[in-house]
Amino acid sequence: MTDSELVAARPRAAVAGKRERLVASATDLVHRHGVQATTLALVAKAADVPLGNVYYYFKTRDDLIRAVVDGHAQRIDELLAILGRGTTPRDRLAGLARNWADAADLLAESGCPIGGLSADLARLDGGLHECAGLLPRAVLDWATRQFRELGVPDAPAEAASLLARVLGAALLTNAFHDPALMSQEMRRIERTIDDLAAGAAGAR
Amino acid sequence: MTDSELVAARPRAAVAGKRERLVASATDLVHRHGVQATTLALVAKAADVPLGNVYYYFKTRDDLIRAVVDGHAQRIDELLAILGRGTTPRDRLAGLARNWADAADLLAESGCPIGGLSADLARLDGGLHECAGLLPRAVLDWATRQFRELGVPDAPAEAASLLARVLGAALLTNAFHDPALMSQEMRRIERTIDDLAAGAAGAR
DNA sequence: GTCTATACCCAGATAGAC
DNA sequence: GTCTATCTGGGTATAGAC
């Protein structure tokens, strides 16, 4: 560790505390109420930071939203890295579905963080609009690699179908306030994956 | 036609003109920018109606949004009625998929009116929150009836899968700004329907 | 770095002339 | 029925003391 990193580390500890609290609060509010309804006053209050102080950490509101997106991107990468340790592509893809199934109650209550945020961003104009594809893209590319490794004929399309089912099921789960819908659809997705794995093995 | 209808019909013609323009403008703005971003000032301007006059037709903003939802519900019923004239359940379900496929460009640009609106409503609180399931429910029930008539074992789950794929694909199409994704997934859905029809026929 | 006070704008909604 | 002017609240952002 160099001197410059050392000195920078200490003041940043306090700074990071508030900054992280702001991003965490914003992430929660964006998830529950959407990007548009997430006001700086609400975020500041939830993070227990004075409103005026928010602008020390984020130049504009868009910067804060962008930080929320980046946080999700990072968590997605971590999740996919963990799932990547599964021994077979089949297990890894099933793990992805199970991850959403485990969150069924949360999804029924507040919708899917990824799907909801992407939809919100796609309807804005400005720099944030371009970020709409960021989060789904990471999952889509990962799933495509798994299907390819599985030996499925059209891996990209199969991955798109999988992600569409997951995000669509989450949307319906939220609209109907019914976690059972999510559990059911994720079980069916696991079956689809098994069928594809069996089909690819049979063609081999 | 009775006298009361006659006299009521004339003044209502002018009334309906503005009211309908307001609902049409609101529907368009809600579709493109979401419920939260749809302000009465924007709606009034787009409908060429003075802002203050909006409150003659709608007591509150929520009433106007509610009218937008009702309009969609009506159009969905009409669409499903038309699709219902298809000779086989397979044709009717394929028609549903084709309907979304035909709108690929619009979906890429502004997202799915039904999915986006439902997601928006689910994140509000108040009376509108309860309407979130209204639009998807109509499609889901219709599709369930078709799968049942097709002789598929678990018709409700199959219908949920179908609708999830459609809405999820629309969400991705919008996030990636890529109409091709929608076309591709709708073709694949048609194949799934064919497979299910063949499976049900084989089991008969 | 922190926080109060506030500028400035735009939202939903209303009053009241016509 | 129609429309202008306006009230009130809450949004983003800034100024400036500490």
Side-chain angles (χ1 to χ4, degrees), chain B residues 67-107:
Chain B
V68 170
V69 176
D70 288 343
H72 277 298
Q74 205 169 328
R75 272 186 298 279
I76 288 173
D77 285 346
E78 287 164 13
L79 171 69
L80 296 179
I82 292 173
L83 291 177
R85 292 187 208 137
T87 46
T88 67
R90 187 258 159 222
D91 286 343
R92 290 172 221 148
L93 288 165
L96 189 70
R98 202 170 295 260
N99 178 69
W100 259 274
D102 288 344
D105 287 333
L106 186 70
L107 295 171

Side-chain angles (χ1 to χ4, degrees), chain B residues 107-120:
Chain B
L107 295 171
E109 181 64 29
S110 311
C112 173
I114 297 175
L117 183 48
S118 297
D120 281 354

Side-chain angles (χ1 to χ4, degrees), chain A residues 7 9 11 27 35 37-38 41 78 102 104 119-120 137 157 165 180 196 198:
Chain A
V7 294
T27 301
V35 170
T38 298
E78 286 164 13
D102 289 343
D120 281 354
R137 173 62 64 192
R165 279 177 80 174
L196 285 169

Side-chain angles (χ1 to χ4, degrees), chain A residues 88-102:
Chain A
T88 67
R90 188 257 158 222
D91 287 341
R92 291 173 221 149
L93 288 165
L96 188 71
R98 203 169 296 258
N99 178 70
W100 259 273
D102 289 343

Side-chain angles (χ1 to χ4, degrees), chain A residues 15 18 50 52-53 56-57:
Chain A
V15 171
K18 286 198 184 179
N53 204 353
Y56 176 74
Y57 299 98

Side-chain angles (χ1 to χ4, degrees), chain B residues 134-203:
Chain B
L134 210 75
L135 305 182
R137 173 62 61 193
V139 182
L140 189 62
D141 289 347
W142 182 89
T144 301
R145 287 196 297 275
Q146 306 309 318
F147 277 119
R148 198 162 275 147
E149 191 174 331
L150 200 55
V152 160
D154 194 354
E158 213 64 66
S161 286
L162 172 71
L163 189 53
R165 281 178 81 173
V166 169
L167 295 181
L171 197 157
L172 291 174
T173 296
N174 185 225
F176 296 149
H177 260 276
D178 178 16
L181 197 153
M182 197 72 209
S183 316
Q184 169 189 274
E185 186 62 13
M186 292 307 102
R187 277 196 305 273
R188 290 169 56 86
I189 282 182
E190 282 199 57
R191 279 223 304 275
T192 300
I193 295 168
D194 286 340
D195 290 349
L196 285 168

Side-chain angles (χ1 to χ4, degrees), chain A residues 12-163:
Chain A
R12 234 179 242 164
V15 171
K18 286 198 184 179
R19 205 195 125 96
E20 278 159 22
R21 261 150 56 209
L22 285 168
V23 175
S25 299
T27 301
D28 178 53
L29 286 166
V30 164
H31 179 204
R32 285 186 299 154
H33 304 309
V35 170
Q36 310 254 9
T38 298
T39 69
L40 294 180
L42 289 171
V43 173
K45 176 146 216 166
D48 199 32
V49 170
L51 176 57
N53 204 353
V54 172
Y55 289 89
Y56 176 74
Y57 299 98
F58 302 96
K59 212 152 52 72
T60 66
R61 178 181 180 273
D62 277 14
D63 280 4
L64 173 58
I65 301 296
R66 177 69 211 215
V68 170
V69 176
D70 288 342
H72 277 298
Q74 205 169 327
R75 272 185 298 278
I76 289 173
D77 285 345
E78 286 164 13
L79 171 70
L80 296 179
I82 291 173
L83 291 177
R85 293 187 207 136
T87 47
T88 67
R90 188 257 158 222
D91 287 341
R92 291 173 221 149
L93 288 165
L96 188 71
R98 203 169 296 258
N99 178 70
W100 259 273
D102 289 343
D105 287 334
L106 186 70
L107 295 170
E109 181 62 30
S110 310
C112 174
I114 298 175
L117 183 47
S118 297
D120 281 354
L121 295 174
R123 290 195 294 198
L124 297 174
D125 37 29
L128 286 174
H129 178 83
E130 322 302 328
C131 306
L134 211 73
L135 305 181
R137 173 62 64 192
V139 182
L140 190 62
D141 289 348
W142 182 89
T144 301
R145 287 195 298 273
Q146 306 309 319
F147 278 120
R148 198 163 276 147
E149 192 175 331
L150 200 57
V152 160
D154 194 354
E158 214 63 66
S161 286
L162 172 70
L163 189 54

